[in-house]
Amino acid sequence: LSGTLRLAGFLVGSFFECRVPSITAAGLLLLICQFVAGFSSSYAIFSILNVGMAAGGIGCFLVSFVLLFEWTCPELRTKATVFAQVPFAVGFLYVVFLSWCLRSSWRTLQWVMAVPNLLFLVFPFILLESPRWLVSRGRQDAALASIAKAARCNNRSVPENILLSKVEEDEEHGISSLVRQPKLLFRLFTMSLNWMVITLCFYGLSM
């Protein structure tokens, strides 16, 4: 039951909008559910809270993945997104290590795992919104400010004379634009099939 509800939480968490405030909201949901789960008095309550933990966890992952993808230049996106999976694997080892250190109580393990999620509270103050998304919303000035701040954070000179493409008012975005373009439609079908196979294999073996 707990594993099934966890997958349901993944579905719920997939609806988080992939923007900076959303990663904080998902992180807080994960923090609260993890902390409260430590006080669970029954398997049913823990399973229900597992929905929130899964939703918050997958929400954090998807939002951060999209932000990374939008910030990375096209020629480096493949490498960046591949390396983005490394913390996912390290996280499993981290949980195993904590479990070994805290063998006395699973409740303590829940609370200890919840503590790092407090960092999500500072994310709205340090994370920059994607210039690509800002431009798509017609916020060119905010996009330029985001690029300038990113340059200063990386000890780079602020680029000058940046040309931002303007988005036409009648230009449509979203799934409908993918369906109308055969090349993007083929990629959408291929990636969807790929993710279904990966998910079935991974969770089929791990659960």
Side-chain angles (χ1 to χ4, degrees):
L1 175 63
S2 182
T4 302
L5 291 177
R6 180 166 173 258
L7 293 179
F10 286 155
L11 177 62
V12 173
S14 300
F15 290 97
F16 274 101
E17 184 183 12
C18 293
R19 305 273 50 95
V20 171
S22 299
I23 194 171
T24 299
L28 288 177
L29 175 62
L30 176 60
L31 170 64
I32 293 170
C33 289
Q34 277 186 319
F35 184 76
V36 176
F39 296 98
S40 298
S41 57
S42 68
Y43 178 74
I45 294 177
F46 181 86
S47 298
I48 293 173
L49 289 170
N50 207 14
V51 177
M53 288 188 282
I58 199 64
C60 294
F61 174 76
L62 293 178
V63 175
S64 59
F65 186 88
V66 170
L67 288 174
L68 171 67
F69 193 86
E70 292 179 351
W71 268 104
T72 307
C73 56
E75 57 269 21
L76 295 178
R77 281 178 180 171
T78 301
K79 293 181 179 179
T81 51
V82 168
F83 280 107
Q85 308 305 314
V86 174
F88 189 76
V90 173
F92 280 105
L93 300 177
Y94 169 71
V95 173
V96 172
F97 176 72
L98 285 182
S99 301
W100 179 78
C101 294
L102 303 171
R103 293 186 294 269
S104 59
S105 172
W106 67 268
R107 298 179 187 274
T108 305
L109 176 63
Q110 283 292 129
W111 296 326
V112 171
M113 288 194 300
V115 171
N117 295 319
L118 291 171
L119 293 174
F120 285 107
L121 295 174
V122 302
F123 277 13
F125 305 101
I126 60 176
L127 289 183
L128 302 176
E129 190 55 83
S130 163
R132 287 184 173 86
W133 180 79
L134 292 171
V135 170
S136 71
R137 292 297 184 271
R139 299 168 57 185
Q140 278 78 11
D141 292 339
L144 291 173
S146 188
I147 293 172
K149 188 173 181 179
R152 289 192 295 269
C153 291
N154 289 280
N155 296 321
R156 299 292 184 90
S157 58
V158 179
E160 299 179 356
N161 302 322
I162 300 177
L163 297 178
L164 300 177
S165 59
K166 294 184 178 180
V167 180
E168 302 295 335
E169 293 184 358
D170 58 347
E171 187 175 352
E172 295 183 7
H173 300 278
I175 298 297
S176 60
S177 63
L178 296 177
V179 175
R180 289 196 306 269
Q181 302 182 43
K183 186 175 182 180
L184 294 179
L185 179 60
F186 175 74
R187 291 178 178 177
L188 175 64
F189 173 78
T190 303
M191 294 303 297
S192 298
L193 179 62
N194 184 41
W195 269 108
M196 283 190 287
V197 172
I198 291 174
T199 303
L200 286 172
C201 291
F202 179 80
Y203 291 107
L205 293 173
S206 64
M207 290 182 63

